[in-house]
Amino acid sequence: MRWLRLGALLLVVGFLLGTAVWLRPFGSPTAFEMDDYFLKNAQVEAGANNVVTSVVFDYRGFDTLGEATVLLCAVVGVAFILRRVKP
Amino acid sequence: MGNFAFLAAMLLVGIGLWALVSRRNLIKLAIGLSIIQSGVNLFLVSLGYVRGGVAPIYTYAPPGVPMVLPTPQALTLTAIVIGLATTALMLAFIVVIYRHRGTLDAGKIRELKG
Amino acid sequence: MSVVVRTIARLLLPWVLAFGGYVIMHGHLTPGGGFQGGAVVASAVALVVIAFGAEGLKGQKNLFSFLEDLGAIAFVALAFLGIGSTFFRNVLAGGGGLFGTPVPFGPNPGWLNTGGTLPLMNWAVGLKVLAGLGSVVLLLALFGGKEDG
């Protein structure tokens, strides 16, 4: 059982490494039209030098809103789980 | 060896998978999940790398140099914070399991075993 | 903890807080932002918990809760500012006034009075993340022991 598990793991890791070798070469992404738009227009439209910040908070603000909600839910969950239980 | 960043990311995922299938301690399982998550984040960021590029920040940027893609970096930022939240929740669950069962061995917690 | 750890923590704490504030405040100009700066300040909370114990911070839970609520409400309110056209529209950018200096295209030294709603959102999210992660660290340190419950 243990050797079967390790064999399956080796198969999966070998597949992952083979995929990494056969991917597109590192440093030449396929689709970059949207990112070119961000790089050209983010400074004028959002007024910030940091393009990543303008993508996070301006162009993709809904993503950040959902992410803040997930963080809030996790904190509330931790506070609920670790509360002091009255005996 | 042009794809060394992808290889490093996949090796991280492999290390995390090894921790998941061969360890029983719940804390070690959480560490394995965190390592897998680090590998996936590294893979996403390295997918957006442009050869010779600098960070997409215009403050004192060298002129005429290409910039790496900003969108994978922004989405990876989101993924990192969500991973942190899930790690905190996982550790809280582990604390409660240890408090109720007195053990961290995943093989001995059998209520949900199918 | 020992006196060495406590002394080093006392020396290091203002610098960690100042660095976190810097990372949040310059989030639209330099690498960093609300999430990263909030995580730095939360690591200061972890430093205090490790060096001095969690009991001293027990009274700060209400403060963390207030900061978390303040950050969330400020973030959504700043998003609602642009409801005339779109949710999350950057209404303050480029219009003069607060954080509204227009920025031309190309590398520049970076001016703090730019970015529209982005610096304010950085502060909101920074407060939210520092309160959230700080309260997680505090809760795990306070109630994560074996004896409670």
Side-chain angles (χ1 to χ4, degrees):
Chain A
M1 191 58 204
R2 176 188 170 86
W3 293 110
L4 193 68
R5 238 190 250 164
L6 278 183
L9 176 71
L10 276 182
L11 210 65
V12 171
V13 173
F15 172 73
L16 286 178
L17 290 181
T19 317
V21 171
W22 283 100
L23 267 176
R24 279 183 68 82
F26 176 60
S28 59
T30 44
F32 44 81
E33 291 86 8
M34 180 179 65
D35 300 274
D36 275 348
Y37 177 82
F38 287 155
L39 285 176
K40 279 200 179 58
N41 297 82
Q43 250 187 324
V44 177
E45 287 181 358
N49 278 345
N50 192 340
V51 185
V52 177
T53 298
S54 52
V55 170
V56 165
F57 288 120
D58 194 348
Y59 293 108
R60 303 204 168 207
F62 275 104
D63 203 16
T64 309
L65 182 62
E67 183 268 335
T69 313
V70 168
L71 186 63
L72 181 69
C73 290
V75 173
V76 170
V78 171
F80 178 70
I81 290 170
L82 289 181
R83 72 198 188 282
R84 196 183 289 274
V85 187
K86 290 281 188 325
Chain B
M1 287 304 283
N3 284 346
F4 59 93
F6 299 152
L7 275 176
M10 294 305 178
L11 266 182
L12 278 177
V13 175
I15 290 170
L17 280 177
W18 172 75
L20 283 190
V21 301
S22 68
R23 300 286 115 175
R24 286 286 186 77
N25 194 328
L26 284 175
I27 301 244
K28 288 177 184 171
L29 294 186
I31 292 173
L33 277 177
S34 297
I35 293 174
I36 290 180
Q37 180 205 338
S38 308
V40 172
N41 287 336
L42 179 62
F43 181 65
L44 278 175
V45 168
S46 61
L47 272 181
Y49 180 71
V50 177
R51 188 167 297 279
V54 296
I57 292 164
Y58 280 103
T59 309
Y60 290 120
V65 175
M67 285 181 172
V68 302
L69 308 188
T71 316
Q73 297 199 5
L75 298 185
T76 308
L77 181 56
T78 309
I80 286 171
V81 180
I82 290 178
L84 207 59
T86 51
T87 305
L89 209 52
M90 250 190 311
L91 289 176
F93 272 119
I94 290 171
V95 165
V96 171
I97 285 173
Y98 184 73
R99 195 180 288 165
H100 281 227
R101 312 300 308 273
T103 178
L104 282 178
D105 194 345
K108 289 191 181 138
I109 301 165
R110 294 186 163 271
E111 272 79 10
L112 287 180
K113 197 173 167 72
Chain C
M1 273 294 179
S2 69
V3 66
V4 179
V5 177
R6 272 185 276 131
T7 308
I8 295 296
R10 211 174 277 131
L11 280 177
L12 216 54
L13 191 60
W15 300 98
V16 175
L17 289 176
F19 181 66
Y22 161 75
V23 169
I24 297 178
M25 193 159 72
H26 287 241
H28 58 301
L29 297 177
T30 54
F35 296 114
Q36 295 91 328
V40 169
V41 179
S43 76
V45 176
L47 181 67
V48 170
V49 165
I50 286 175
F52 302 106
E55 294 298 320
L57 280 177
K58 210 170 182 177
Q60 308 296 318
K61 275 193 292 180
N62 287 327
L63 174 69
F64 281 145
S65 169
F66 172 72
L67 284 182
E68 172 102 18
D69 296 344
L70 181 69
I73 289 172
F75 186 64
V76 178
L78 284 170
F80 265 112
L81 274 185
I83 202 66
S85 57
T86 345
F87 206 51
F88 278 104
R89 178 166 177 77
N90 199 340
V91 285
L92 294 179
L98 181 67
F99 294 121
T101 310
V103 181
F105 176 71
N108 58 47
W111 301 290
L112 203 55
N113 197 20
T114 57
T117 54
L118 298 187
L120 300 170
M121 279 188 181
N122 265 328
W123 274 108
V125 170
L127 285 181
K128 195 169 155 47
V129 170
L130 85 88
L133 295 185
S135 58
V136 164
V137 169
L138 196 57
L139 283 168
L140 279 175
L142 276 177
F143 303 123
K146 195 185 168 190
E147 299 305 319
D148 296 321

